[in-house]
Amino acid sequence: MAVDDVVRLDAVRKVYGNSRTGVVALDSVSIGFRRHTFTAVMGPSGSGKSTCLHCAAGLDTPTSGSVTLDGREITKLGERELTILRRERIGFVFQAFNLLPALTVVENIALPVRLAGRRPRRGAVDTVLEQVGLSERRKHRPGELSGGQQQRVAIARALITQPSVIFGDEPTGALDAYTALEILDLLRQAVRSGGQTVVIVTHDPVVAAHADRVVFLAGGRFVGEILEPTAQVLAEQMIKLGTQGRTPAGQVS
Ligand SMILES: Nc1ncnc2c1ncn2[C@@H]1O[C@H](COP(=O)(O)OP(=O)(O)OP(=O)(O)O)[C@@H](O)[C@H]1O
């Protein structure tokens, strides 16, 4: 593991279903994500992107191999320790925002801290609210906000614990192009000024071009990376991967 990798997957294999008829979603994937960088994971549909993100974030358990986060091998942790680590060291942003509709903006943001049995530090919610530009919407509920504003709340909720890593599964997938740019700017800012590491899954070369590095999966394997990518180079690479093999993750052999 490189010294400054905040997350590292080593020989991760994930098989869904039983060993005879199951699907190999990840096949011996080894990838490190360096601290204070923004990485996008791309690949054809079914190539294992979400599974990779979920294994990296401790939301899913690899069949074999190891995942290390912040120097701890999370694949060795029990469910209780893993829950605490996820709550305190990891932030999540999903395509569908996943806010609780009955709670206000402030209550949604404070939720990870409340779930840990604590009160948010004085001013902590205000700081992240300001960071995402929603100071005027404290008392609103998610249903009273636009999609972009709801995703800002989700980012503020991810930032409240000052996690090491923020994982995003298609975090701009439900947004128009302009709003998507605003959300990407916030994630970039988290890397630049907040000291976070960001890893997102996306299908969109324009979105992925905002990352420092793009890693490619195909058929459940790590098949390459592009540093300082442009949307055009990424689009070309995706077309290449798409035509090389339309079959996604393979059957267990
Ligand atoms: N819970 C599950 N049970 C069984 N198979 C699964 C499960 N989750 C994923 N798979 C299979 O694992 C493979 C990889 O899926 P995954 O969702 O990680 O791919 P992806 O690259 O994120 O796809 P997409 O871009 O379409 O969202 C696919 O063949 C999928 O059908």
Side-chain angles (χ1 to χ4, degrees):
M1 172 169 175
V3 177
D4 53 356
D5 278 349
V6 64
V7 184
R8 169 94 217 158
L9 285 76
D10 276 301
V12 167
R13 180 175 168 87
K14 177 69 186 179
V15 181
Y16 288 110
N18 69 39
S19 59
R20 267 168 22 90
T21 57
V23 173
V24 183
L26 292 178
D27 190 2
S28 199
V29 170
S30 297
I31 311 178
F33 299 103
R34 275 184 44 213
R35 201 173 289 278
H36 304 165
T37 59
F38 185 162
T39 304
V41 180
M42 296 191 85
S45 185
S47 58
K49 303 179 296 292
S50 293
T51 306
C52 177
L53 198 80
H54 290 180
C55 285
L59 288 172
D60 210 339
T61 313
T63 307
S64 60
S66 67
V67 178
T68 311
L69 192 142
D70 249 352
R72 294 181 77 188
E73 195 178 324
I74 66 172
T75 25
K76 284 197 172 144
L77 299 181
E79 194 45 51
R80 194 165 165 274
E81 285 175 300
L82 196 53
T83 303
I84 294 170
L85 180 118
R86 272 198 305 256
R87 205 160 48 205
E88 300 191 343
R89 307 308 312 144
I90 299 174
F92 296 99
V93 184
F94 299 96
Q95 177 169 354
F97 320 135
N98 293 12
L99 302 174
L100 293 185
L103 302 186
T104 65
V105 164
V106 165
E107 289 164 349
N108 265 290
I109 293 172
L111 195 61
V113 182
R114 296 270 182 205
L115 286 174
R118 298 196 303 266
R119 282 166 164 263
R121 267 187 305 110
R122 205 186 167 90
V125 173
D126 290 342
T127 304
V128 290
L129 263 176
E130 202 173 310
Q131 230 172 310
V132 302
L134 281 181
S135 299
E136 311 301 313
R137 303 287 180 143
R138 309 173 58 88
K139 300 254 165 67
H140 287 70
R141 291 181 206 282
E144 299 163 339
L145 301 174
S146 70
Q149 288 167 336
Q150 289 184 56
Q151 198 60 307
R152 284 166 182 271
V153 176
I155 290 177
R157 181 184 58 186
L159 287 169
I160 190 77
T161 57
Q162 299 184 299
S164 299
V165 195
I166 296 178
F167 290 104
D169 200 350
E170 297 277 2
T172 57
L175 305 173
D176 65 76
Y178 181 76
T179 313
L181 282 185
E182 291 182 336
I183 293 300
L184 289 166
D185 267 352
L186 284 176
L187 292 173
R188 264 241 144 264
Q189 215 175 295
V191 172
R192 208 170 31 230
S193 346
Q196 267 78 41
T197 299
V198 172
V199 182
I200 66 166
V201 162
T202 181
H203 285 102
D204 187 342
V206 175
V207 169
H210 286 78
D212 304 309
R213 172 191 181 215
V214 176
V215 298
F216 291 93
L217 295 179
R221 289 174 175 267
F222 169 68
V223 292
E225 64 180 347
I226 294 176
L227 303 178
E228 306 297 334
T230 63
Q232 184 167 350
V233 168
L234 294 174
E236 286 165 4
Q237 180 65 10
M238 284 297 287
I239 290 167
K240 238 189 258 173
L241 287 177
T243 50
Q244 268 167 11
R246 289 214 149 264
T247 25
Q251 296 294 309
V252 173
S253 53

